[in-house]
């Protein structure tokens, strides 16, 4: 893993490390329509609308969610490609016994 990949991975996991953000991502991912509007997400929490907006922004910046404005509402979708990439990067860290895959300089 390169230094840039490590920074990117850490930012994504930092965004997901908050319980409210994990719940938001779960709500969006589990929606049968594949997308959820901001109002529906906010209704699931006891925090203010601006706080939910902040969390949504962090998830968008990390690439976990995408958004689309339609009229007066913003709809959010999970970026499956991003989640697959994050999982792939974690999977690549599994120990590989007997192979010279170590990133340490010789």
């Amino acid at each position: 893993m390169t230094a840039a990949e490590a920074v990117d991975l850490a930012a994504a996991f930092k965004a997901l490390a908050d319980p409210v953000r994990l719940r938001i991502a779960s709500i969006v991912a589990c929606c049968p329509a594949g997308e959820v509007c901001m109002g529906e997400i906010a209704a699931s929490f006891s925090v203010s609308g601006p706080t939910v907006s902040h969390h949504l922004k962090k998830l968008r910046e990390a690439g976990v969610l995408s958004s689309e404005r339609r009229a007066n509402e913003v709809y959010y979708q999970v970026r499956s490609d991003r989640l697959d990439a994050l999982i792939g990067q974690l999977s690549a860290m599994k120990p590989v016994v007997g192979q010279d895959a170590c990133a340490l300089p010789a």
Side-chain angles (χ1 to χ4, degrees):
M1 176 182 302
T2 67
E5 289 169 335
V7 168
D8 180 58
L9 187 63
F13 284 113
K14 182 177 179 181
L16 288 168
D18 183 280
V20 172
R21 292 182 199 150
L22 274 176
R23 285 187 55 215
I24 289 171
S26 175
I27 288 167
V28 176
C30 293
C31 183
E35 63 184 12
V36 183
C37 70
M38 163 62 178
E40 292 176 53
I41 295 168
S44 299
F45 295 92
S46 59
V47 297
S48 69
T51 300
V52 173
S53 290
H54 168 77
H55 289 302
L56 286 164
K57 177 183 175 188
K58 293 296 183 182
L59 290 168
R60 275 193 334 271
E61 290 173 347
V64 174
L65 297 180
S66 62
S67 63
E68 180 182 337
R69 178 170 286 285
R70 293 187 214 140
N72 294 330
E73 194 62 79
V74 178
Y75 288 82
Y76 293 88
Q77 307 84 24
V78 168
R79 290 206 35 222
S80 297
D81 60 329
R82 175 68 165 153
L83 293 181
D84 289 343
L86 294 173
I87 291 166
Q89 287 177 303
L90 283 179
S91 294
M93 289 194 287
K94 290 180 185 175
V96 182
V97 178
Q99 292 186 9
D100 290 331
C102 185
L104 294 175

